[in-house]
């Protein structure tokens, strides 16, 4: 996706009525909607002809669609000698020299085609001019529990479908190049909805399988159970999720991100100029901008205005100031990350109490100093998705970082006392709601050409499901980047093989121990995210976090082979602590890490960083 913010619209193609005949109980619904399902075929075909990338040179050519060979999603294209040239995916729209076939010496009939700049021959039986012939699936089964969408390119949610559920296929949006469907339109009972093809399979038996690996990691998840009220690890999804890759669209993520942090109030041209001056001549290659925080907005959002709550947010910048500041960073070549607080949002919770964690009277509860919309509430999902899409499309951010994707600390105490309403419509565990929200957000935002990151507590490097719903393998499997917050002053005292230590006095050891546990969690994922870590920069008790303490944290990560980079956290923004950054941000740690690997050394040894913290 280029940074002009324009998303390519894809036309939806659906089946004809005779293909929709299924269960008798739904025939009335099928016929009721059929008139709107199939009206655009001729017009869309004409549009596709207009956008053929290259001309074949044929003057009287016709157009058709590729059918799949038996038990495959592709068909074979042959060269002039009728030797196999390549495979063409089901649904490909091809130019045909004429409907008069070429007959081979053996009597087989072929159409001469032009596709993707190449000429070739396809057996006539695998070409059709009728789009409704393409989709043969009538029933699919849910492999990964997911919330349906009401439209394939919208944010509005439908019902939750569970593992093993049978769905009747009603249509599709488009075919991918490999012949797979992108999204199916399905019927659940009398409800229509859309689901990504990645989350369904063709048989019930397949749908009930669980992802594992050679070391039977799923058994490890099962054995962890539900220790603290966050949910059972066995009930989460571990099938691989496709990660974002938008380099060809002008959005390339640095191999190792080194980021300064900017608070929402400071996203204006004056402060941005100061940040750029601070970063100039260093290895800083990214900025994290807090765009929406608890009760704070960095610009007057049209989405918040449409919900009637914009005026309740603190907003110091105009839309023009915000846009100019972000553009300054983009023009200077920096990777731009937009941080959005999701489920710690006092304005939203009080404006829409029906979406909030509330007492039994329906009044939002103040928990941990704020009010919390519920992770279970799909209406909150839709609002946050709309905000993220607005940020991505309007301002061209490279990545959306989702923060506070969890339930409040100690919420289990209120549950045990039966004094809280979490708005748990579907009877989900906290960890299920967190993972399903992230699945929903990642799928949507990938369609807008941006990467998706999520902040998690440092505690999640452990093997249990945290009581607020975060479980490292379930989250890392879904998103592109997982951002741990292993601030040394957040940890209790440690006992390790090296003995007892107080974490805040041992920034290197704390981060290195944490990163080693993270590496184990990453090995429990089918599709692990990049690990990019928040670094403590503020002083703690009698321990000063100077540049050496900050650098010790960073090299502690790389010494454990966690190389996705760092983000420097300071509550007022790292622009205000330049003295702490001297001797830290001048290094390309990933490049030095690679040199250290070649030399057979740890990064700390190679850089001669003193890690002796006693």
């Amino acid at each position: 996706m280029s940074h002009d913010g324009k998303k390519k619209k894809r036309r939806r193609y659906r089946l004809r009525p005779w293909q929709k005949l299924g269960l008798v109980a739904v025939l009335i619904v099928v016929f009721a909607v059929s008139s709107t399902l199939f009206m655009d075929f001729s017009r869309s075909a004409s549009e596709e002809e207009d956008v053929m990338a290259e001309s074949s040179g044929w003057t009287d050519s016709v157009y058709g669609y590729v059918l799949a060979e038996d038990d495959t999603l592709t068909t074979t294209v042959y060269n002039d000698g009728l030797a196999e040239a390549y495979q063409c995916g089901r649904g490909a729209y091809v130019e045909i020299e004429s409907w008069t076939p070429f007959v081979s010496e053996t009597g087989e009939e072929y159409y001469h085609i032009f596709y993707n700049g190449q000429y070739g021959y396809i057996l006539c039986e695998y070409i059709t001019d009728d789009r409704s012939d393409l989709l043969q699936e009538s029933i699919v089964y849910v492999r990964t529990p997911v919330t349906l969408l009401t439209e394939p390119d919208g944010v509005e949610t439908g019902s939750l479908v569970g593992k093993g559920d049978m769905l009747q296929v009603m249509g599709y949006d488009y075919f991918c190049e490999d012949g797979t469907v992108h999204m199916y339109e399905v019927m659940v009972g009398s409800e229509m909805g859309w689901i990504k093809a990645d989350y369904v399979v063709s048989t019930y038996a397949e749908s009930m399988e669980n992802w594992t690996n050679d070391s039977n990691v799923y058994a490890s998840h099962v054995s962890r159970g539900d220790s603290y009220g966050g949910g059972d690890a066995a009930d989460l999804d571990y099938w691989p999720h496709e990660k974002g890759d938008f380099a060809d669209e002008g959005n390339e993520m640095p191999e190792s991100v080194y980021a300064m942090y900017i608070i929402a109030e400071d996203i204006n041209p004056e402060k941005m100029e100061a940040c750029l001056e601070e970063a100039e001549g260093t290895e800083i290659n990214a900025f994290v901008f807090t765009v929406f925080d608890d009760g704070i907005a960095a610009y007057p959002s049209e989405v918040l205005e449409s919900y009637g709550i914009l005026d309740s947010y603190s907003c110091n910048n105009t839309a023009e100031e915000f846009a100019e500041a972000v553009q300054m960073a983009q023009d200077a070549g920096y990777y731009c990350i937009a941080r959005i607080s999701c489920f710690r949002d006092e304005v939203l919770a009080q404006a829409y109490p029906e979406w909030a964690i509330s007492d039994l009277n329906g009044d939002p509860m103040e928990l941990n100093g704020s009010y919390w919309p519920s992770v279970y509430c799909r209406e909150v999902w839709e609002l946050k998705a709309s905000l993220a899409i607005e940020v991505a499309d309007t301002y061209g951010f490279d990545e959306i970082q989702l923060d506070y994707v969890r339930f409040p600390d100690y919420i289990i105490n209120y549950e045990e006392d039966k004094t809280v309403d979490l708005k748990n419509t579907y009877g989900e565990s906290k960890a299920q709601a967190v993972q399903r929200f992230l699945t929903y957000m990642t799928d949507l935002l990938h369609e807008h050409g941006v990467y998706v990151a999520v902040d998690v507590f440092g505690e999640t490097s452990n093997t249990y499901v945290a009581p607020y719903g975060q479980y490292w393998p379930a989250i890392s499997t879904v998103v592109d980047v997982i951002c741990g917050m292993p601030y040394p002053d957040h940890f209790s005292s440690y006992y390790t093989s090296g003995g007892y230590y107080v974490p805040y006095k041992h920034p290197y050891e704390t981060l290195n121990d944490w990163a080693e546990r993270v590496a184990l969690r990453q090995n429990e994922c089918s599709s692990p995210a990049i690990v990019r870590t928040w670094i403590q920069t503020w002083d703690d008790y009698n321990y000063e976090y100077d540049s050496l303490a900050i650098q010790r944290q960073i090299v502690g990560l790389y010494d454990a082979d966690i190389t996705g980079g760092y983000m420097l956290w300071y509550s007022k923004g790292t622009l205000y602590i330049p003295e702490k950054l001297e001797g830290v941000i001048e290094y390309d740690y990933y490049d030095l890490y690679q040199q250290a690997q070649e030399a057979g050394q740890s990064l700390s040894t190679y850089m001669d960083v003193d890690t002796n913290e006693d």
Side-chain angles (χ1 to χ4, degrees), residues 96-390:
I96 306 167
E97 186 172 13
S98 78
W99 289 121
T100 302
F102 164 76
V103 182
S104 71
E105 293 180 356
T106 58
E108 294 172 310
E109 296 186 345
Y110 297 84
Y111 287 127
H112 191 200
I113 70 163
F114 184 76
Y115 178 67
N116 277 352
Q118 299 182 74
Y119 297 93
Y121 293 86
I122 289 182
L123 286 166
C124 291
E125 62 194 278
Y126 298 125
I127 290 289
T128 180
D129 63 349
D130 191 340
R131 187 179 286 103
S132 63
D133 293 338
L134 299 174
L135 186 64
Q136 301 303 315
E137 300 94 309
S138 60
I139 296 291
V140 292
Y141 295 85
V142 178
R143 181 186 70 186
T144 299
V146 67
T147 300
L148 299 179
L149 297 177
T150 60
E151 293 290 337
D153 53 1
V155 302
E156 184 179 351
T157 57
S159 296
L160 172 70
V161 290
K163 193 173 182 67
D165 284 355
M166 183 179 73
L167 308 177
Q168 186 178 9
V169 177
M170 310 304 290
Y172 65 101
D173 59 349
Y174 63 89
F175 288 101
C176 303
E177 287 189 5
D178 61 359
T180 58
V181 167
H182 176 247
M183 294 187 78
Y184 289 107
E185 186 178 31
V186 296
M187 181 172 284
V188 184
S190 61
E191 180 184 346
M192 304 282 283
W194 291 82
I195 186 171
K196 281 191 71 173
D198 295 344
Y199 303 139
V200 297
V201 289
S202 59
T203 68
Y204 176 76
E206 288 178 283
S207 74
M208 297 308 293
E209 293 176 358
N210 293 298
W211 178 84
T212 189
N213 58 9
D214 292 340
S215 59
N216 195 19
V217 69
Y218 182 71
S220 298
H221 296 306
V222 172
S223 69
R224 290 167 186 169
D226 182 7
S227 302
Y228 301 104
D232 194 328
D235 294 335
L236 301 170
D237 177 58
Y238 302 102
W239 285 103
H241 287 243
E242 185 177 2
K243 304 301 184 183
D245 183 2
F246 310 111
D248 290 343
E249 301 170 21
N251 181 3
E252 184 171 4
M253 184 190 301
E255 200 154 20
S256 203
V257 165
Y258 314 128
M260 292 176 61
Y261 168 63
I262 306 173
I263 62 174
E265 295 90 329
D266 285 352
I267 309 178
N268 58 63
E270 180 182 357
K271 293 295 175 63
M272 192 69 244
E273 184 175 0
C275 288
L276 292 173
E277 288 177 359
E278 183 65 31
E280 187 177 1
T282 74
E283 293 297 330
I284 291 294
N285 57 16
F287 291 103
V288 179
F289 300 82
T290 283
V291 180
F292 298 105
D293 211 341
D294 187 14
I296 300 172
Y299 68 93
S301 161
E302 292 183 6
V303 169
L304 294 181
E305 186 173 22
S306 71
Y307 277 81
I309 55 178
L310 175 60
D311 291 344
S312 298
Y313 285 85
S314 173
C315 183
N316 292 348
N317 312 306
T318 65
E320 292 75 18
E321 289 172 331
F322 177 82
E324 184 179 350
V326 175
Q327 190 65 52
M328 288 169 66
Q330 293 167 341
D331 290 345
Y334 290 92
Y335 185 76
C336 293
I337 304 166
R339 174 179 169 264
I340 297 176
S341 178
C342 293
F343 297 100
R344 181 183 170 115
D345 188 334
E346 62 180 4
V347 172
L348 180 59
Q350 293 185 88
Y352 290 91
E354 65 273 24
W355 302 346
I357 296 174
S358 61
D359 61 26
L360 301 185
N361 294 321
D363 297 322
M365 297 177 66
E366 185 174 3
L367 301 161
N368 308 134
S370 189
Y371 295 89
W372 298 68
S374 177
V375 188
Y376 291 127
C377 188
R378 269 48 176 184
E379 289 85 355
V380 181
W381 294 19
E382 294 168 10
L383 186 151
K384 296 298 178 176
S386 297
L387 286 174
I389 291 169
E390 178 180 73

Side-chain angles (χ1 to χ4, degrees), residues 39-108:
M39 59 188 293
D40 291 332
F41 278 4
S42 61
R43 184 169 67 252
S44 60
S46 176
E47 291 171 356
E48 285 178 299
E49 293 173 19
D50 291 341
V51 297
M52 296 293 280
E54 298 180 52
S55 174
S56 64
W58 298 329
T59 57
D60 298 316
S61 55
V62 293
Y63 296 86
Y65 302 90
V66 173
L67 296 170
E69 296 178 14
D70 294 341
D71 300 320
T72 70
L73 296 175
T74 63
T75 194
T76 304
V77 179
Y78 301 90
N79 61 22
D80 287 343
L82 296 186
E84 293 188 10
Y86 62 93
Q87 293 294 308
C88 189
R90 170 180 61 161
Y93 193 61
V94 299
E95 188 175 357
I96 306 167
E97 186 172 13
S98 78
W99 289 121
T100 302
F102 164 76
V103 182
S104 71
E105 293 180 356
T106 58
E108 294 172 310

Side-chain angles (χ1 to χ4, degrees), residues 15-26:
L15 301 179
R16 290 184 169 180
W18 66 266
Q19 289 182 301
K20 295 189 170 185
L21 298 177
L23 301 175
V24 173
V26 299

Side-chain angles (χ1 to χ4, degrees), residues 587-609:
Y587 294 98
D588 184 340
Y589 293 94
Y590 185 69
D591 183 58
L592 292 170
Y593 165 82
Q594 293 177 305
Q595 295 177 34
Q597 292 284 295
E598 293 176 2
Q601 297 178 338
S602 66
L603 178 62
S604 56
T605 299
Y606 188 78
M607 292 183 64
D608 195 24
V609 175

Side-chain angles (χ1 to χ4, degrees), residues 33 37 77 120 129 189 210 301 324 345 370 374 385 390 410 424 427 438 444 448 463 535 579 611:
V33 300
L37 295 182
V77 179
D129 63 349
N210 293 298
S301 161
E324 184 179 350
D345 188 334
S370 189
S374 177
E390 178 180 73
Y410 309 114
N424 192 357
L438 291 172
L444 287 178
H448 292 261
T463 56
I535 297 296
E579 71 286 350
T611 60

